[in-house]
């Protein structure tokens, strides 16, 4: 017999059933019900929580399904907001009209030739696309020297060269343009390390929109240069006690208070539908460019794609184009922080359980009672207790692989790329680079590996120096 328990009080309320949990912000704004599954909206709170936790298992994604029905599968995901059992729209009735309006405007925009042309022009002339696919010759040689002269050729997708210093501008421009189409003159958002905040502030300045960015106070101090840039771009920056998840909650509350005239611009592939799909769609330009550039450089596909995973926007941006190319390995790298056994990490897919958080069913960091555990990473952009529902699906289906890198391994990878290639990766992207130490010896000679260098690391230079890593050796 299945039992469910609802605990009320504190910052969150949780219901747990077997290995599934639902976390619901105690604010009346975040009482959860999956409207994609048409649950009974008249249920009492306890019954409602029970209804949303009894989640049926699904069969693993089959390779045949991916090969046979790629377009059909993609359309189903866009229309439903579900990735297998993950995703959905766990929000109160008061938000359904707004979320449905946003979904309709998004679907209209991505099929509007004028919108697509304007976005392509902005990405080219304002953001600086396309970004190079850079052959990291000395990094490749470094690994070959240590492996009897054999090893893969390593390429970097240089998203760090975008305006604003990261991949975040791809999505910020697309959503800011949708906000303007909807007649919303005010944009609210939340940022972790500040890269999404800078991208959103820049997009809003370009389009003449007011912008408010919510950011954890501790991150404002650590990333003070990014805070100054946001303010120079005309954004108002609001400090929030706690971490990125608290800033995200505060941005959502701010938007709910003024839904008719403001727009909530999410930079992470999390939250209720259509938010994860929108972010992934606008970031998928990364993978489309990568396919074209790989064909130009060596006449084929990459063998391995690697990206860091905080919430998943840059990983999905690179992976999505190749989901149906079963001969291309997709590897996401989470932040192991001080080690998985330490309890101080952000490895949601490696160590989390399934539950509902910020409006979607996904993997979460939580304790036995369903209470959200605080994430940790030296990279601010990877500190979030959840992950993209689409990545949760890719893990459960087996289509993507997921690894982890510790703070120290990321710091070492940051230093290595600086000294071998003259490139400053963000500490987030350094996590992806860090697994090359263990991955390269397992790969065939001459195979093609692409690592998404998702952000520029000049923002992290002071932090790296604080850890006294620059000892003159690689």
């Amino acid at each position: 017999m299945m039992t469910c328990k609802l605990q009320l009080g504190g910052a969150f309320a949780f219901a747990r059933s077997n290995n599934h949990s639902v976390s619901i912000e105690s604010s009346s704004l975040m009482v959860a019900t999956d409207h994609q599954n048409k649950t009974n909206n008249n249920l009492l709170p306890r019954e409602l929580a029970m209804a949303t936790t009894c989640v049926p298992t699904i069969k693993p994604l089959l390779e045949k399904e991916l090969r046979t029905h790629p377009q059909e599968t993609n359309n189903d995901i866009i229309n439903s907001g579900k990735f297998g059992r993950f995703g959905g729209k766990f929000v109160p009735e008061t938000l359904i009209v707004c979320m449905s309006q946003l979904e309709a405007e998004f679907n209209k925009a991505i099929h509007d030739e004028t919108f697509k042309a304007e976005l392509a022009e902005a990405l080219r002339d304002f953001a600086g696309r396309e970004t190079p696919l850079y052959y990291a010759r000395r990094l490749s040689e470094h690994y070959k020297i240590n492996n009897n002269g054999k090893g893969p050729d390593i390429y970097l997708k240089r998203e760090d060269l975008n305006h604003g210093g990261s991949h975040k501008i791809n999505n910020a421009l697309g959503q800011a343009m949708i906000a303007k189409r909807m007649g919303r003159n005010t944009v609210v958002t939340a940022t972790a390390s500040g890269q999404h905040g800078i991208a959103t502030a820049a997009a809003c300045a370009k389009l003449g929109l007011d912008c408010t960015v919510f950011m954890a106070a501790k991150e404002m101090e650590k990333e003070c240069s990014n805070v100054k840039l946001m303010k120079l771009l005309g954004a108002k920056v609001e400090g929030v006690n706690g971490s990125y998840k608290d800033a995200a909650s505060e941005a959502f509350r701010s938007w709910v208070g003024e839904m008719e005239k403001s727009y909530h611009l999410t930079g992470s592939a999390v939250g209720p539908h259509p938010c994860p799909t929108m972010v992934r769609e606008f970031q998928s330009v990364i993978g489309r460019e990568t396919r074209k550039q790989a064909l130009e450089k060596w006449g084929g596909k990459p063998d391995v794609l690697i990206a860091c995973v905080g919430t998943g926007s840059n990983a999905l941006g690179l992976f999505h184009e190749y989901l149906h190319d079963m001969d291309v390995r997709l590897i996401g790298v989470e932040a192991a922080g001080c080690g998985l056994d330490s309890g101080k990490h952000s490895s949601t897919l490696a160590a989390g359980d399934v539950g509902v958080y910020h409006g979607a069913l996904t993997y979460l960091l939580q304790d036995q009672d369903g209470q959200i555990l605080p994430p940790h990473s030296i990279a601010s952009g990877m500190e979030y207790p959840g992950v993209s529902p689409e990545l949760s699906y890719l893990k459960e289906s087996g289509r993507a692989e997921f690894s982890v890198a510790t703070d120290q391994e990321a710091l070492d990878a940051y230093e290595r790329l600086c000294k071998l290639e003259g490139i400053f990766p963000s500490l987030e992207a350094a996590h992806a680079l860090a697994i090359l130490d263990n991955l390269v010896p397992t790969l065939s000679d001459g195979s093609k590996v692409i690592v998404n260098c998702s952000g520029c690391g000049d923002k992290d230079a002071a932090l790296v120096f604080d850890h006294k890593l620059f000892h003159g050796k690689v």
Side-chain angles (χ1 to χ4, degrees):
M1 179 177 178
M2 184 176 290
T3 61
C4 298
K5 180 173 69 173
L6 178 66
Q7 299 177 331
L8 295 174
F12 296 88
F14 298 89
R16 195 170 182 87
S17 169
N18 291 346
N19 293 325
H20 304 296
S21 69
V22 172
S23 66
I24 310 163
E25 289 208 13
S26 57
S27 164
S28 62
L29 302 177
M30 293 298 290
V31 176
T33 175
D34 185 3
H35 293 268
Q36 296 303 119
N37 282 343
K38 307 298 184 184
T39 52
N40 185 352
N41 299 323
N42 296 318
L43 291 172
L44 295 175
R46 181 176 181 277
E47 295 168 319
L48 187 149
M50 292 173 66
T52 59
T53 58
C54 303
V55 182
T57 57
I58 60 166
K59 66 179 181 178
L61 182 68
L62 300 178
E63 178 176 334
K64 180 180 177 182
E65 291 175 334
L66 277 173
R67 289 186 182 279
T68 307
H69 305 293
Q71 190 60 47
E72 179 180 314
T73 301
N74 187 53
N75 285 340
D76 288 345
I77 288 173
I78 288 176
N79 292 335
S80 72
K82 283 301 192 75
F83 307 91
R85 61 173 171 152
F86 299 103
K89 192 184 296 182
F90 290 80
V91 295
E93 281 295 324
T94 53
L95 296 183
I96 291 301
V97 172
C98 284
M99 301 306 292
S100 297
Q101 182 184 8
L102 176 60
E103 181 180 1
E105 195 62 49
F106 166 63
N107 282 321
K108 187 188 302 182
I110 62 174
H111 293 99
D112 183 336
E113 295 302 322
T114 299
F115 176 87
K116 290 193 288 186
E118 289 175 354
L119 178 58
E121 180 182 352
L123 288 172
R124 183 191 68 229
D125 298 342
F126 182 72
R129 302 210 70 90
E130 62 184 46
T131 60
L133 183 62
Y134 170 76
Y135 177 42
R137 185 181 305 277
R138 293 195 65 215
L139 184 66
S140 301
E141 290 173 353
H142 165 78
Y143 286 109
K144 291 179 181 181
I145 289 171
N146 294 321
N147 193 40
N148 298 318
K150 297 181 179 180
D153 296 322
I154 301 168
Y155 290 79
L156 306 180
K157 183 55 175 165
R158 296 293 307 277
E159 292 300 292
D160 56 307
L161 295 179
N162 278 317
H163 177 47
S166 78
H167 70 293
K168 294 292 188 179
I169 193 68
N170 304 325
N171 168 68
L173 277 171
Q175 286 204 55
M177 288 172 61
I178 286 180
K180 192 154 188 175
R181 281 170 64 104
M182 296 175 72
R184 307 295 169 80
N185 296 318
T186 300
V187 166
V188 296
T189 193
T191 190
S193 66
Q195 289 185 311
H196 171 63
I198 289 173
T200 302
C204 287
K206 180 183 187 301
L207 296 172
L209 304 173
D210 293 333
C211 178
T212 299
V213 180
F214 290 88
M215 189 173 185
K218 66 176 184 178
E219 301 302 341
M220 290 179 67
E221 183 177 352
K222 187 165 73 171
E223 307 286 359
C224 60
S225 62
N226 281 347
V227 173
K228 292 174 182 176
L229 288 173
M230 284 183 268
K231 290 180 177 179
L232 283 170
L233 289 165
K236 181 180 180 182
V237 184
E238 297 279 0
V240 176
N241 290 330
S243 61
Y244 170 64
K245 69 180 181 65
D246 302 294
S249 296
E250 196 59 37
F252 195 80
R253 292 189 189 100
S254 175
W255 168 68
V256 167
E258 297 183 313
M259 286 188 291
E260 296 302 318
K261 63 179 182 180
S262 67
Y263 181 95
H264 181 259
L265 200 159
T266 178
S268 304
V270 295
H273 179 68
C275 297
T277 301
M278 290 176 65
V279 174
R280 182 258 288 150
E281 185 66 22
F282 288 130
Q283 293 294 358
S284 62
V285 64
I286 301 171
R288 292 195 300 272
E289 283 184 5
T290 298
R291 182 185 291 277
K292 180 177 75 74
Q293 292 167 327
L295 284 170
E296 291 170 352
K297 286 183 177 293
W298 63 81
K301 294 179 288 189
D303 297 290
V304 184
L305 299 175
I306 307 173
C308 67
V309 173
T311 54
S313 64
N314 93 91
L316 288 170
L318 181 64
F319 294 168
H320 188 68
E321 174 69 16
Y322 291 93
L323 287 183
H324 310 298
D325 295 282
M326 305 304 292
D327 53 342
V328 178
R329 290 175 65 185
L330 312 177
I331 303 178
V333 186
E334 295 186 295
C338 300
L340 295 183
D341 294 336
S342 71
K344 296 181 65 177
H345 61 79
S346 295
S347 298
T348 308
L349 292 167
D353 295 310
V354 176
V356 169
Y357 187 66
H358 281 169
L361 183 74
T362 188
Y363 274 90
L364 305 172
L365 294 178
Q366 54 190 325
D367 64 19
Q368 290 301 309
D369 296 319
Q371 300 293 322
I372 294 296
L373 296 172
H376 164 78
S377 173
I378 196 168
S380 301
M382 301 182 78
E383 283 191 324
Y384 185 75
V387 71
S388 160
E390 188 168 0
L391 287 182
S392 294
Y393 172 64
L394 293 179
K395 169 191 166 150
E396 191 162 276
S397 69
R399 177 61 188 95
E401 309 164 45
F402 295 93
S403 183
V404 299
T406 65
D407 288 348
Q408 188 60 55
E409 288 168 337
L411 287 161
D412 291 342
Y414 181 105
E415 181 180 4
R416 185 179 303 116
L417 195 68
C418 286
K419 293 188 173 180
L420 288 178
E421 296 292 347
I423 295 171
F424 302 101
S426 64
L427 279 172
E428 290 81 8
H431 283 74
L433 292 160
I435 70 159
L436 291 173
D437 283 0
N438 294 323
L439 178 65
V440 164
T442 71
L443 301 177
S444 60
D445 187 40
S447 57
K448 308 300 182 185
V449 174
I450 297 176
V451 182
N452 197 9
C453 190
S454 56
C456 180
D458 51 359
K459 68 181 179 63
D460 299 314
L463 182 60
V464 174
F465 270 97
D466 285 345
H467 284 76
K468 303 183 186 301
L469 287 180
F470 280 76
H471 43 65
K473 299 178 181 178
V474 176

